[in-house]
Amino acid sequence: MRVAVISDIHGNYHALEAVLTELEEGEHDALWCLGDLVGYGPRPNRCCSSVAARADLCLAGNHDLGVLGQVSLDDFATDAALSAEWTREVLEDDERAFLESLKPAAASEEPAAELFHASPRDPVWEYVLTGESALAALELTSAPLVLVGHSHVPLAIVLDDGRLSGGLAMEGTEADLGRGRWLLNPGSVGQPRDGDQRAAYVLIDFDEPRATFHRVEYEIERTQAEIRERGLPDTLAERLAHGV
Ligand code: ZN
């Protein structure tokens, strides 16, 4: 079974469309999404309806929950809070209902994996970016594979024989999932923060078993123009060109 995993789309429909187009050209059996469909970006409704139609499993992220009023926007940075308030105003009923149906954590039995928007310790807020947080994530779970999003940084970290190794997963990184227990972050579709501005996803072949990290070019300037048309903060448009 081959599962494509995406995360942190953030209302960037052109990035999402590029990833979905590439996936349709290849072969995969299921699509999982680790949350943050909305927030920051200009096309929240289209991103929600597109993921709702295609994803076999989908989590809620902190931005989704902030837009729904389930977590306080006081915990958001200024640009994040402004875009969440704008998203709240334009979000349509079906898309809101879809987001309301989602949780920040889930488990899959076949194939076996535990999924969290942020981390097992705090599925909504904790960034897994250090060895300590990666080790805690693996120690708090039992599935052979743990998937997290939220940091917008693609990661492949393995715990094997009590030893933690791995880290940033650039395009083309392959993880041999048959050895040890793995924590993977696919990176972000709609707002990458690892210095590579292209949309990110990971393809997991559970039969091999192997994970491969992918990047896809998309028309960044189209999303930037939409951000500016809607009067969202210009920094949200600028950062997309730099992958930060
Ligand atoms: Zn996010």
Side-chain angles (χ1 to χ4, degrees), residues 81-99:
L82 283 170
S83 63
E85 279 164 6
W86 174 83
T87 304
R88 194 179 276 176
E89 279 169 30
V90 301
L91 194 66
E92 290 168 13
D93 291 347
D94 286 353
E95 285 66 29
R96 179 181 301 276
F98 174 64
L99 291 182

Side-chain angles (χ1 to χ4, degrees), residues 46-84:
R46 195 67 195 268
C47 288
C48 285
S49 59
S50 189
V51 171
R54 289 176 179 81
D56 300 277
L57 199 163
C58 185
L59 304 182
N62 56 307
H63 286 258
D64 305 318
L65 298 172
V67 167
L68 295 174
Q70 294 182 16
V71 300
S72 170
L73 296 185
D74 293 346
D75 296 322
F76 282 63
T78 309
D79 286 353
L82 283 170
S83 63

Side-chain angles (χ1 to χ4, degrees), residues 7-10 34-40 61-64 117 127 149-152 188 191 193:
S7 191
D8 297 279
I9 297 153
H10 285 292
L34 305 178
D36 274 0
L37 285 72
V38 303
Y40 297 130
N62 56 307
H63 286 258
D64 305 318
H117 174 65
Y127 291 96
H150 188 52
S151 71
H152 301 203
S188 170
Q191 194 196 77
R193 294 181 190 160

Side-chain angles (χ1 to χ4, degrees), residues 6-242:
I6 60 174
S7 191
D8 297 279
I9 297 153
H10 285 292
N12 186 341
Y13 181 66
H14 301 297
L16 176 63
E17 192 181 33
V19 168
L20 294 176
T21 300
E22 183 168 296
L23 286 172
E24 277 159 20
E25 287 164 1
E27 290 183 9
H28 69 286
D29 305 300
L31 177 68
W32 295 350
C33 174
L34 305 178
D36 274 0
L37 285 72
V38 303
Y40 297 130
R43 302 282 295 275
N45 290 304
R46 195 67 195 268
C47 288
C48 285
S49 59
S50 189
V51 171
R54 289 176 179 81
D56 300 277
L57 199 163
C58 185
L59 304 182
N62 56 307
H63 286 258
D64 305 318
L65 298 172
V67 167
L68 295 174
Q70 294 182 16
V71 300
S72 170
L73 296 185
D74 293 346
D75 296 322
F76 282 63
T78 309
D79 286 353
L82 283 170
S83 63
E85 279 164 6
W86 174 83
T87 304
R88 194 179 276 176
E89 279 169 30
V90 301
L91 194 66
E92 290 168 13
D93 291 347
D94 286 353
E95 285 66 29
R96 179 181 301 276
F98 174 64
L99 291 182
E100 282 173 341
S101 74
L102 308 177
K103 300 272 181 289
S108 163
E109 283 185 13
E110 192 55 54
E114 289 178 64
L115 295 76
F116 305 89
H117 174 65
S119 81
R121 195 154 56 183
D122 180 344
V124 177
W125 286 110
E126 184 190 12
Y127 291 96
V128 179
L129 284 169
T130 63
E132 187 278 327
S133 56
L135 187 61
L138 287 161
E139 285 176 341
L140 286 167
T141 50
S142 56
L145 178 62
V146 180
L147 298 170
V148 301
H150 188 52
S151 71
H152 301 203
V153 175
L155 295 177
I157 294 173
V158 61
L159 182 62
D160 190 20
D161 259 347
R163 216 177 127 258
L164 201 66
S165 58
L168 188 65
M170 313 294 283
E171 180 184 35
T173 297
E174 293 202 350
D176 172 6
L177 304 183
R179 179 181 59 85
R181 290 182 58 230
W182 285 86
L183 175 106
L184 304 180
N185 185 328
S188 170
V189 170
Q191 194 196 77
R193 294 181 190 160
D194 61 340
D196 183 339
Q197 72 276 31
R198 296 172 298 170
Y201 71 95
V202 70
L203 198 56
I204 301 170
D205 187 330
F206 282 92
D207 300 321
E208 291 272 354
R210 178 180 304 279
T212 311
F213 287 79
H214 294 265
R215 302 304 278 256
V216 190
E217 299 218 25
Y218 74 97
E219 293 176 272
I220 294 172
E221 53 292 343
R222 291 179 74 187
T223 296
Q224 290 178 315
E226 291 168 354
I227 287 172
R228 291 175 175 131
E229 274 165 28
R230 285 152 181 73
L232 291 164
D234 200 59
T235 48
L236 296 178
E238 281 167 24
R239 66 187 300 176
L240 294 180
H242 307 290

